[in-house]
Amino acid sequence: MHCWVLWLAFLLSSQCAIASTPVNAEQWLEAMENALKTRSFQGTLVYAGSNRVNTLKIFHSVIDGDVYEHIISQGEPIREVIRDRSKVFCFIQEQQRGRESAVMSSKNWLGLPPKLTYSNRNYSLLLGKQQAVMERPAQIVIIQPKDKFRYLRKIWVDRESMIPIKTQVVDSTGRVLEQLMFSKLSITQSIPRTQFQLPTDSKSYQWAVQKTELIPQHQQQWHITNNPTGFEVVKYTRYQSHANSEQMTHILLSDGVTLVSIYVDLQAEAISETYTIGAINLGTTTSSGYRITVLGEVPGQTIQSILGGMQLIQ
């Protein structure tokens, strides 16, 4: 599940001009979303959260209308993610092993849905002050929750390129739980296709191929009876690795801004655990012989509410 933490993206073609300066917060976010779909870039991104710092090299390009991404984590061991149109490859060259799966189009590098949908019932959109990041003038946009089930998000949008160059997730006390910020950024016309190719010796790697299938509603075994207001099921999938015969169900919830994942697999032993990693809270329990894990950038009480509402349909 850690691959998604490395998976960061964006786009831009310097030929795309911004027609006019956005006036309100919603227009700024719309301009940002458009920039993420149309421009190419490369840079260095610094993640800070949970008393740790991680540096990532990011390459993102649009080639013949298709999105390509290459993210390299500078930790030990060095982990890499390549998104090649419809597939994602997570691998460690040093260990010559990796995982291949279908593209997760449900979130972008910000940890947000590619297309934000706002409900006045759940969030307020506000314009903050203007502030420079890397000596680049930026406009702060604030996505402020209206209840205790969500976190506040701040996004620094570069005024020239409309790319988000800094983001923060903030709790109800004002404490910054997680921050992503570019320390170096270059907007480019294009990036060579070779940057998005697997290593030459990758055929000898030990690959775990993850097969994913969408489950129609009439075949779904789990129902969430206690969703916090606004959260709805947006994707219900089942996947299986060729390395073993065990299957896992993944249920994705969204309120249009925040995403929460539910993972369900077989587990005979009773388990009840909670973890916090930066802005991510995680809870695990067992029910009817299944292990249920809920995680997302939401407060712990949101996780517990969803866990307590999981019901197996007999």
Side-chain angles (χ1 to χ4, degrees), residues 23 28 47 52 58 96 124 128 132 149 169-170 175 201 229 256:
V23 175
W28 274 98
Y47 165 88
R52 66 186 180 92
I58 305 173
Q96 293 197 320
S124 297
F149 294 110
V169 180
V170 184
R175 181 167 61 104
D201 62 345
T229 302

Side-chain angles (χ1 to χ4, degrees), residues 95-118:
Q95 300 176 3
Q96 293 197 320
R97 63 182 179 87
R99 187 180 71 195
E100 175 187 335
S101 59
V103 166
M104 297 180 294
S105 59
S106 305
K107 68 172 65 179
N108 57 27
W109 71 275
L110 296 167
L112 299 172
K115 177 62 180 175
L116 297 174
T117 55
Y118 316 100

Side-chain angles (χ1 to χ4, degrees), residues 141-210:
V141 180
I142 302 169
I143 306 177
Q144 181 173 297
K146 292 186 175 181
D147 59 30
K148 60 186 178 182
F149 294 110
R150 291 152 252 267
Y151 286 137
L152 180 147
R153 293 176 183 270
K154 290 184 178 180
I155 304 174
W156 281 251
V157 183
D158 179 35
R159 292 185 62 88
E160 179 180 353
S161 68
M162 297 298 167
I163 286 178
I165 52 180
K166 178 180 175 181
T167 69
Q168 289 181 344
V169 180
V170 184
D171 69 11
S172 60
T173 69
R175 181 167 61 104
V176 177
L177 303 175
E178 183 177 276
Q179 176 174 285
L180 288 168
M181 185 174 70
F182 278 98
S183 62
K184 183 178 180 181
L185 176 65
S186 175
I187 310 301
T188 65
Q189 288 280 358
S190 63
I191 299 173
R193 193 183 292 263
T194 54
Q195 182 64 57
F196 308 101
Q197 294 176 350
L198 290 169
T200 55
D201 62 345
S202 62
K203 290 184 178 180
S204 64
Y205 287 13
Q206 182 180 353
W207 289 100
V209 181
Q210 185 174 291

Side-chain angles (χ1 to χ4, degrees), residues 3 82 86-91 98-103 198 206-212 240-242:
C3 275
I82 289 179
S86 62
K87 292 183 178 180
V88 173
F89 301 89
C90 255
F91 58 95
R99 187 180 71 195
E100 175 187 335
S101 59
V103 166
L198 290 169
Q206 182 180 353
W207 289 100
V209 181
Q210 185 174 291
K211 182 180 179 181
T212 305
Q240 177 179 341
S241 172
H242 289 183

Side-chain angles (χ1 to χ4, degrees), residues 254-267:
S254 176
D255 65 358
V257 173
T258 301
L259 298 167
V260 177
S261 284
I262 304 170
Y263 296 92
V264 183
D265 62 350
L266 289 171
Q267 173 67 44

